[in-house]
Amino acid sequence: MVRPIDRRRAYGLSIHSELCLPELPPTRDPADIRVTLGAVAPPAAAAAPEWEVNGDEARGAYGGIGRFLVSRGREIVVDPDPAAAAESLQPFLLGPALAVALHQRGYRVLHASAVAIGGVAFGFLGHAGSGKSTLAAALRSRGHRPIADDVVALRPESGGFVPLPGLPWLKLWPPTAEAIGITPEELPRVRPDLAKRSWAAAEPAAPPPTRVDRLYVLAEGPHVASEPIGAAESVIELARHTYGARSLHGVRAESHLQEAAELARAITLRRLRRPWRLGDLATAVELVEREAAT
Amino acid sequence: LTAALSERTVVVASASQTSTRVEGEVVILDLSGGAYYGLNAVGARIWELMREPKTLRDIRDRIVDEFDVDPQRCERDLVALVGELLDRRLAEVVGSAKPHATSIQEETGGTRRGEDPAEHGRRSSVRRGGDRPRDV
């Protein structure tokens, strides 16, 4: 059976997909990654909800959504759950499954958001709920260009790391949208069953930045402040915020640590503390802008 | 455990860890538990020396040689650090060297009074960096 192929671009790669990916920009380039529909055997029960890695293959399953088999960073087989709507499948394909493929291609994949300020990339690392997307959205509302949200991929290149332009939207909870002056009802939902909204990016005017200047590790604090992070701690933070730190790297923990150290040598980390409330968002954004200018 | 350490005790980094050096500091990953630990400059040098089995005396002498540190303080910090590394199974005791059997702490009088414990901690203690997180 022949299915129509949707050709789209993300993370600088051409994705030829049997699943429609209408929100991604189109491309005419030959395929870097092929997405096909097919049967995927379930991962071992012990692996769920993490990915099961077998050589250059990784298998993941999400209840009510489907199973994914990602191979050599070039092929993604999607086996949808019969109950899953296409709109529900896409966030998992372009989220974890694509992140696994980026990892397999040798990119450094971080749980982070990234924004270009003055032509240079600044990233925000943190656990879920620490404000990665919120800060990226607030910076975007100030006219800075978002690079990626949730999954930041860095391509190693001549001793440095090039941030790759990710999915062209930011995911926001309604209160965050309101805090930066956006009416949440005007934005589409990320998934039909989720109140979170998707804020699509405009076509970028400038070329993407070619280097990451600084990564901020987000943490709670009584007031907005930033502080340096020592070398050893920087490595630890990078290792912890690597995408799939346990499942993808568990089998090769040694190289994971070495890769985190390599990143720490190339990129400066700082800790950005702020109270967990939206009222101080503007102060945090001003601090990042001020530090970006120095 | 720490009390059992003497200057003749031979220690070595354990096999169930991997470590890396960045800007004079060291990060150790415990391969059995998945936790990360950070060591400052002096701790990093001690760790480097422990890659091969060594007596605490050998390590102490090298550190006193290379860093501007008071020998008595160095011994106390060394015993504290090695004790922590042993507790966390990042290092192990592999034997005891021959000569005189005085405890490294007894030799220096063993007094800790009047010292600032916070400063002591900063000098060479193991900082735990947390576990690797679960994936989302």
Side-chain angles (χ1 to χ4, degrees), chain A residues 48-50 62 111 230-233 235-236 239-240 243-250 253-254 256-258 261 264-265, chain B residues 17-23 25-29 31 33-34 36-39 127-136:
Chain A
E50 300 185 355
Y62 296 90
H111 245 304
E233 216 181 327
V235 177
I236 293 168
R240 291 173 75 186
Y243 203 94
R246 191 172 275 277
S247 57
L248 299 179
H249 297 274
E254 202 149 320
H256 180 210
L257 183 65
Q258 299 305 333
R265 288 182 196 108
Chain B
Q17 54 74 31
T18 178
S19 68
T20 187
R21 200 182 166 93
V22 196
E23 287 168 34
E25 299 191 346
V26 156
V27 183
I28 309 169
L29 170 61
L31 293 171
Y36 293 101
Y37 302 92
L39 295 178
R127 277 174 290 123
R128 194 174 191 280
D131 300 309
R132 279 184 286 165
R134 286 179 64 82
D135 295 341
V136 292

Side-chain angles (χ1 to χ4, degrees), chain B residues 12-63:
Chain B
V12 68
S14 89
S16 65
Q17 54 74 31
T18 178
S19 68
T20 187
R21 200 182 166 93
V22 196
E23 287 168 34
E25 299 191 346
V26 156
V27 183
I28 309 169
L29 170 61
D30 171 10
L31 293 171
S32 52
Y36 293 101
Y37 302 92
L39 295 178
N40 67 8
V42 181
R45 180 61 181 138
I46 292 170
W47 180 251
E48 200 173 82
L49 292 167
M50 284 172 63
R51 284 175 173 278
E52 299 292 325
K54 280 193 186 52
T55 62
L56 292 190
R57 183 175 51 212
D58 286 347
I59 298 173
R60 176 200 62 197
D61 291 349
R62 295 284 287 273
I63 296 296

Side-chain angles (χ1 to χ4, degrees), chain A residues 35-116:
Chain A
V35 179
T36 55
L37 291 162
V40 176
E50 300 185 355
W51 285 70
E52 182 186 68
V53 178
N54 221 321
D56 48 15
E57 278 187 2
R59 210 179 288 272
Y62 296 90
I65 301 293
R67 297 179 197 143
F68 299 87
L69 174 66
V70 187
S71 319
R72 296 173 294 117
R74 313 189 64 87
E75 277 164 51
I76 302 176
V77 184
V78 185
D79 189 351
D81 188 291
E87 312 88 82
S88 304
L89 210 52
Q90 209 202 74
F92 289 88
L93 169 62
L94 297 179
L98 183 56
V100 169
L102 294 168
H103 162 76
Q104 288 176 341
R105 295 183 80 90
Y107 299 167
R108 305 302 149 80
V109 186
L110 297 173
H111 245 304
S113 68
V115 172

Side-chain angles (χ1 to χ4, degrees), chain A residues 32 34 38 49 54 60 70 89 99 131-132 155-156 163 168 182 190 197-198 200 205 210 219 253 259 262 265 276 289:
Chain A
D32 296 305
R34 288 180 195 280
N54 221 321
V70 187
L89 210 52
K132 301 186 291 284
R155 189 179 60 216
I182 293 170
V190 168
R197 308 287 163 155
S198 176
T210 53
E259 286 175 5
E262 229 177 82
R265 288 182 196 108
W276 279 171
E289 284 179 336

Side-chain angles (χ1 to χ4, degrees), chain A residues 170-182:
Chain A
L170 289 169
K171 293 177 185 173
L172 298 177
W173 292 104
T176 312
E178 278 163 14
I180 56 172
I182 293 170

